[in-house]
Amino acid sequence: MTTAPSPTQPLAGVRIVEISSFVAAPLAGMTLAQLGADVVRVDPIGGAADCHRWPLTDAGESIYWAGLNKGKRSVTADLRSPDGRQLVARLITESGPAGGILLTNTAGREELDWDALTARRPDLIRLEILGRADGTAAVDYTVNAATGFPLVTGPADHDGPVNHVLPAWDLLCGIYAALAITAAVRHRDATGEGSRIALPLDDVALATAGNLGFLAEAALTGRERPRLGNAIYGQYGQHFTSADNVSFMVVALTPRHFRDLTELTGTAAPVAALATALGVDFTDEGTRYRYRDVLTGLFAPWFQDRTGTEVATALAGTSVLWERYRSFADLVTEPRVTENPLFTPLRQPGIGDYLAPGAPMSVNGVHVPARPAPRLGEHTESVLRE
């Protein structure tokens, strides 16, 4: 490959072979492709387990698959046969000085393991996403169940676990994987050495719970984090509903935010009297959190007496952090999407024309635009010819 790196495509010239399914590994491959890498996704003939994953178009095409495989090339091979696996091993190891990189979440193929591939190419970079560090299987939804978050999610009076909709651990794992491969390329460029990288999904979730203090809090204090509904732990934040049933999330992180909120809602005097009666200081974020329910009771009537438009107009004139709750259907017609340079028109074969996001970061003011996902096996001939 001869493509030269640029500020928006720093990985141009690097080739990565991806053998994957579901979210984390495909997201990592797409992120690397957005950074300029030539990412060749290899699927079994007929497609991997995620090729028909929901959401689907009315014609049955996977919108999900197209969304996470933008900008890649697609090769299909008979991964059940030794000859097919040998062909893929050659694709990985004979891909030029900036190749020799495998991204996978699919274990158990002897010809594609570390020892077999490094025997062919000593400077190999191989990243494998695992379920757990011991090699046992796990997915985002089971990892989430085992990591404590469903027991602190949901209404304060709810009994039982509540899963969140966002596959947070898959998404974090995918970004960690892309970062790890980028770092391994940098290391190889500097030393000539390859890297064997294991990235367990479970460890991504555990690291996050540790980094955010959830685990240390339990270990050091013995306390369980409470369920808070839509409130924010340790800060003042709550959702309010207007007279015409429009919901808002309102957050006051600083004393200025809180002062503006009390002035807007006409509650400065009652809040001051409450502070005096309780002997507390509401400039302290912990105090605002502890007395969140009574504060919400003071603020709520102001929202309930106004329309959503009136609430939004008034909040916009303050320092308070706020936003109206929106649906996905709302978003696709709003300027945040339609006039955002992150989104560009994309003609996706089999799916149709729609606005699709490119890389979320801009470099020197430029977003890398989305490129279509390949049709399954579209580049098999051309890649193998190369």
Side-chain angles (χ1 to χ4, degrees), residues 131-354:
R132 297 187 178 88
D134 63 5
T136 56
V139 295
D140 183 284
Y141 311 101
T142 60
V143 165
N144 191 52
T147 314
F149 287 92
L151 299 181
V152 297
T153 301
D157 58 355
H158 180 78
D159 184 22
V162 175
N163 291 332
H164 50 73
V165 174
L166 185 74
W169 315 124
D170 275 337
L171 299 177
L172 281 172
C173 186
I175 299 302
Y176 270 120
L179 177 61
I181 287 177
T182 303
V185 170
R186 172 71 180 92
H187 174 71
R188 187 172 69 180
D189 288 347
T191 67
E193 298 175 350
S195 297
R196 181 182 188 180
I197 306 166
L199 181 59
L201 188 66
D202 189 46
D203 282 359
V204 169
L206 290 171
T208 303
N211 293 338
L212 293 177
F214 285 87
L215 300 185
E217 179 185 29
L220 296 173
T221 71
R223 293 193 297 267
E224 288 286 350
R225 183 75 64 93
R227 273 200 169 95
L228 298 173
N230 289 333
I232 302 174
Y233 183 71
Q235 304 280 354
Y236 183 77
Q238 189 53 266
H239 89 272
F240 295 92
T241 303
S242 68
D244 53 350
N245 208 36
V246 178
S247 293
F248 293 84
M249 184 66 193
V250 176
V251 181
L253 296 180
T254 69
R256 182 190 174 194
H257 295 155
F258 187 72
R259 183 179 66 250
D260 279 7
L261 181 58
T262 62
E263 291 175 356
L264 176 71
T265 56
T267 58
V271 168
L274 179 65
T276 300
L278 296 172
V280 299
D281 179 7
F282 284 127
T283 64
D284 175 70
E285 62 186 12
T287 300
R288 296 192 294 271
Y289 167 72
R290 291 186 189 95
Y291 293 95
R292 62 192 179 277
D293 290 338
V294 66
L295 290 171
T296 297
L298 290 174
F299 301 147
W302 182 88
F303 291 88
Q304 294 165 355
D305 290 342
R306 287 161 177 80
T307 66
T309 299
E310 290 170 337
V311 169
T313 300
L315 285 170
T318 73
S319 70
V320 177
L321 305 170
W322 66 278
E323 188 51 86
R324 178 172 66 82
Y325 282 90
R326 288 171 165 83
S327 70
F328 297 122
D330 292 333
L331 278 177
V332 296
T333 62
E334 292 190 352
R336 286 176 60 211
V337 171
T338 60
E339 298 177 16
N340 189 338
L342 166 64
F343 290 85
T344 52
L346 182 72
R347 174 159 293 179
Q348 177 62 51
I351 301 290
D353 297 338
Y354 62 100

